[in-house]
C-alpha cells in the first residue's frame, strides 16, 4: 500500500469519516495497517492512499498572485487542467489508472 507520510496525533488518529457528521468514525493508522496486513504484496501494489490534504489542494483555488494562480487565469484552461496542475506533484510517480483501489481522504 502506498501512502504519503503525514503528521499523526498522539493516538495515531488520521481522520474522521464523515468529517462533519455527529456520528463520524475515527480512522487511525491501525486501520491502514489492517488493510496492509489483509492484502498480500501483489494486492498492496494495487492500492494507493493519498494524504488528507490532497482533496483540499485539488479543489481550492491557489493563493492569489502565485505562479499557479497566474497560470489559472488563462480562460482557455479547463477546470480539469487547473486541478491537475494543483496536484501533479503528488501524482507524478503514481500510475493511478493501474491501481484497483485509490483512497482520497476528504477532510472538510
Amino acid at each position: 500500500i502506498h501512502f504519503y507520510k503525514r503528521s499523526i496525533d498522539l493516538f495515531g488518529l488520521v481522520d474522521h469519516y464523515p468529517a462533519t457528521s455527529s456520528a463520524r468514525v475515527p480512522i487511525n493508522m491501525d486501520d491502514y495497517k489492517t488493510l496492509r496486513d489483509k492484502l498480500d504484496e501483489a494486492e498492496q501494489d494495487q492500492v494507493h492512499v493519498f494524504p488528507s490534504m490532497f482533496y483540499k489542494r485539488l479543489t481550492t483555488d491557489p493563493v492569489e498572485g502565485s505562479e499557479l494562480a497566474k497560470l489559472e487565469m488563462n480562460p482557455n484552461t479547463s477546470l480539469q487542467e487547473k486541478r491537475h496542475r494543483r496536484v501533479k506533484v503528488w501524482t507524478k510517480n503514481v500510475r493511478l489508472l493501474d491501481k484497483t483501489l485509490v483512497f482520497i481522504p476528504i477532510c472538510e
Side-chain angles (χ1 to χ4, degrees), residues 18 28 35 51 69 106:
N28 59 43
L35 178 62
I106 299 175

PDB file of all heavy atoms in Angstrom, residues 18 28 35 51 69 106:
ATOM      1  N   PRO A  18     -17.878  10.313   8.283  1.00  0.00           N
ATOM      2  CA  PRO A  18     -17.784  11.551   7.510  1.00  0.00           C
ATOM      3  C   PRO A  18     -17.361  12.703   8.405  1.00  0.00           C
ATOM      4  O   PRO A  18     -17.709  12.742   9.582  1.00  0.00           O
ATOM      5  CB  PRO A  18     -19.170  11.763   6.942  1.00  0.00           C
ATOM      6  CG  PRO A  18     -20.085  10.932   7.775  1.00  0.00           C
ATOM      7  CD  PRO A  18     -19.263   9.876   8.442  1.00  0.00           C
ATOM      8  N   ASN A  28      -7.699   5.665  12.019  1.00  0.00           N
ATOM      9  CA  ASN A  28      -6.338   5.840  12.528  1.00  0.00           C
ATOM     10  C   ASN A  28      -5.358   4.963  11.759  1.00  0.00           C
ATOM     11  O   ASN A  28      -5.743   4.220  10.860  1.00  0.00           O
ATOM     12  CB  ASN A  28      -6.291   5.564  14.033  1.00  0.00           C
ATOM     13  CG  ASN A  28      -6.740   4.169  14.372  1.00  0.00           C
ATOM     14  OD1 ASN A  28      -6.373   3.218  13.701  1.00  0.00           O
ATOM     15  ND2 ASN A  28      -7.540   4.034  15.407  1.00  0.00           N
ATOM     16  N   LEU A  35      -5.518  -2.867   6.741  1.00  0.00           N
ATOM     17  CA  LEU A  35      -5.668  -3.037   5.304  1.00  0.00           C
ATOM     18  C   LEU A  35      -4.391  -3.623   4.716  1.00  0.00           C
ATOM     19  O   LEU A  35      -4.431  -4.569   3.931  1.00  0.00           O
ATOM     20  CB  LEU A  35      -5.992  -1.693   4.641  1.00  0.00           C
ATOM     21  CG  LEU A  35      -6.136  -1.710   3.128  1.00  0.00           C
ATOM     22  CD1 LEU A  35      -7.289  -2.612   2.706  1.00  0.00           C
ATOM     23  CD2 LEU A  35      -6.343  -0.304   2.600  1.00  0.00           C
ATOM     24  N   PRO A  51      -2.574  11.642   0.728  1.00  0.00           N
ATOM     25  CA  PRO A  51      -2.613  12.340   2.017  1.00  0.00           C
ATOM     26  C   PRO A  51      -3.940  13.074   2.180  1.00  0.00           C
ATOM     27  O   PRO A  51      -4.642  13.354   1.200  1.00  0.00           O
ATOM     28  CB  PRO A  51      -1.437  13.325   1.925  1.00  0.00           C
ATOM     29  CG  PRO A  51      -1.211  13.513   0.476  1.00  0.00           C
ATOM     30  CD  PRO A  51      -1.605  12.230  -0.193  1.00  0.00           C
ATOM     31  N   ALA A  69      -1.622  30.571  -9.663  1.00  0.00           N
ATOM     32  CA  ALA A  69      -2.800  31.418  -9.867  1.00  0.00           C
ATOM     33  C   ALA A  69      -2.717  32.137 -11.206  1.00  0.00           C
ATOM     34  O   ALA A  69      -3.725  32.264 -11.915  1.00  0.00           O
ATOM     35  CB  ALA A  69      -2.927  32.423  -8.733  1.00  0.00           C
ATOM     36  N   ILE A 106     -11.186  12.856   2.468  1.00  0.00           N
ATOM     37  CA  ILE A 106     -11.763  14.190   2.334  1.00  0.00           C
ATOM     38  C   ILE A 106     -11.969  14.741   3.737  1.00  0.00           C
ATOM     39  O   ILE A 106     -12.767  14.235   4.505  1.00  0.00           O
ATOM     40  CB  ILE A 106     -13.081  14.145   1.554  1.00  0.00           C
ATOM     41  CG1 ILE A 106     -12.817  13.603   0.151  1.00  0.00           C
ATOM     42  CG2 ILE A 106     -13.701  15.544   1.508  1.00  0.00           C
ATOM     43  CD1 ILE A 106     -14.055  13.398  -0.678  1.00  0.00           C
TER      44      ILE A 106
END
